[in-house]
Amino acid sequence: MNDPGNWRVLAYRPADRAAVRWICAETGFLGEPQEKVVLDREVFADMWSAYWTDREPESGFVAECEGRVVGYLLGCVDTDRYERVFNQEMARPLLWKALRRGFFLRGKNPGYIYRMVRSLRRGEFKAPMRAIKHEYPAHLHMNIAPPEFRGRGLGQALLRAYLDYLRARGVKGLHLGTTSHNQQAVPFYLAAGFQEIFRSRITCYDHAVPDPPVYLLYFGMKL
Ligand SMILES: CC(C)(COP(=O)(O)OP(=O)(O)OC[C@H]1O[C@@H](n2cnc3c(N)ncnc32)[C@H](O)[C@@H]1OP(=O)(O)O)[C@@H](O)C(=O)NCCC(=O)NCCS
């Protein structure tokens, strides 16, 4: 077992990709394994890590403990660029891959997709993205796993490295999305100096948490 006290933060390297994808799936549902709501780690990791590892690796950081990657911060300096690249170049191949793998029919996935589409049609994900991107153009995703590595300062160190990186590039702000049920993430971001900039009731996870309501939250920080 690695000593959880013996860690360091490094710039992301292509060799970290598999570990990042594992952590991504392992934390995909409110900090817990994604299988609680959706099956297929490959498709899930493509959705939530591939742009950042493959198209903007220079904005990523990892926390490593005795040679093992146990945390990451995947960054993007310009969210407009992410949307352009993802929508124009990545979304269609990902859709085909999901179809080929039978993603849409597998186990609990039809229910997941139904709830996501229902929330989408109800406008529950409709954050004022134009204004958010204007004030806070960069964004991040960060996760640490296994859980014994949380609460030891890794998150703070990863965030510090990313903030330094953004400041050196003259970026004026950054944002991120999470949910009110993520009880590690919310206090972490508030303690780090983020402010809540948007909140919306979402119903797609009500079946999977013991105590709804769940809110989608956006946090922002000006640099
Ligand atoms: C959220 C997460 C990235 C935070 O990283 P971390 O390494 O656990 O956090 P740190 O140890 O650096 O904590 C820094 C500060 O955040 C606050 N904090 C962190 N975890 C907290 C918790 N569970 N409760 C209250 N405050 C907390 C504290 O102020 C802490 O400072 P302190 O230790 O001096 O009190 C990490 O816990 C994680 O990956 N959780 C699971 C996945 C997840 O939720 N990812 C975020 C998705 S949006």
Side-chain angles (χ1 to χ4, degrees):
M1 179 60 198
N2 309 62
D3 172 5
N6 189 13
W7 53 269
R8 60 188 179 144
V9 165
L10 302 167
Y12 171 83
R13 303 149 299 185
D16 301 327
R17 189 174 188 272
V20 164
R21 290 171 72 84
W22 180 82
I23 295 170
C24 176
E26 200 60 17
T27 54
F29 175 68
L30 314 178
E32 293 181 51
Q34 50 137 110
E35 283 82 3
K36 200 160 175 188
V37 286
V38 63
L39 307 176
D40 196 332
R41 289 193 161 210
E42 178 71 14
V43 168
F44 189 85
D46 274 1
M47 183 75 197
W48 293 110
S49 69
Y51 166 81
W52 299 271
T53 55
D54 302 354
R55 302 302 184 99
E56 197 174 332
E58 66 278 12
S59 299
F61 298 87
V62 294
E64 186 188 80
C65 179
E66 297 171 7
R68 177 185 180 188
V69 171
V70 294
Y72 66 74
L73 186 155
L74 299 178
C76 167
V77 165
D78 176 4
T79 301
D80 279 329
R81 175 180 186 268
Y82 156 72
E83 290 177 352
R84 207 166 46 243
V85 171
F86 188 82
N87 293 337
Q88 293 176 9
E89 299 172 27
M90 301 183 80
R92 196 175 296 235
L94 179 54
L95 180 63
W96 282 118
K97 183 175 183 176
L99 280 169
R100 275 198 314 277
R101 295 171 62 85
F103 173 84
F104 295 98
L105 301 174
R106 197 179 293 184
K108 53 182 73 166
N109 292 3
Y112 173 77
I113 293 156
Y114 166 75
R115 289 183 202 97
M116 284 293 159
V117 171
R118 189 182 61 188
S119 283
L120 206 63
R121 293 184 63 156
R122 288 175 174 168
E124 295 174 2
F125 300 132
K126 226 174 188 168
M129 286 314 297
R130 254 176 95 138
I132 290 175
K133 287 185 295 185
H134 181 71
E135 293 297 314
Y136 312 94
H139 70 250
L140 67 80
H141 295 283
M142 62 189 298
N143 286 301
I144 292 163
E148 57 265 32
F149 289 97
R150 297 175 192 156
R152 294 174 172 273
L154 280 71
Q156 212 167 29
L158 283 163
L159 184 60
R160 203 177 308 122
Y162 185 48
L163 295 180
D164 288 347
Y165 171 84
L166 293 178
R167 285 193 183 102
R169 278 153 191 77
V171 176
K172 71 176 187 178
L174 72 159
H175 70 272
L176 64 99
T178 187
T179 74
S180 55
H181 269 51
N182 201 326
Q183 285 309 315
Q184 285 169 326
V186 171
F188 169 78
Y189 292 125
L190 290 173
F194 282 90
Q195 295 193 327
E196 187 181 310
I197 53 174
F198 177 74
R199 163 181 290 251
S200 165
R201 168 82 169 100
I202 51 173
T203 53
C204 49
Y205 297 137
D206 281 4
H207 69 295
V209 298
D211 54 346
V214 183
Y215 290 87
L216 170 67
L217 305 176
Y218 275 82
F219 287 105
M221 185 195 289
K222 294 199 172 148
L223 298 175

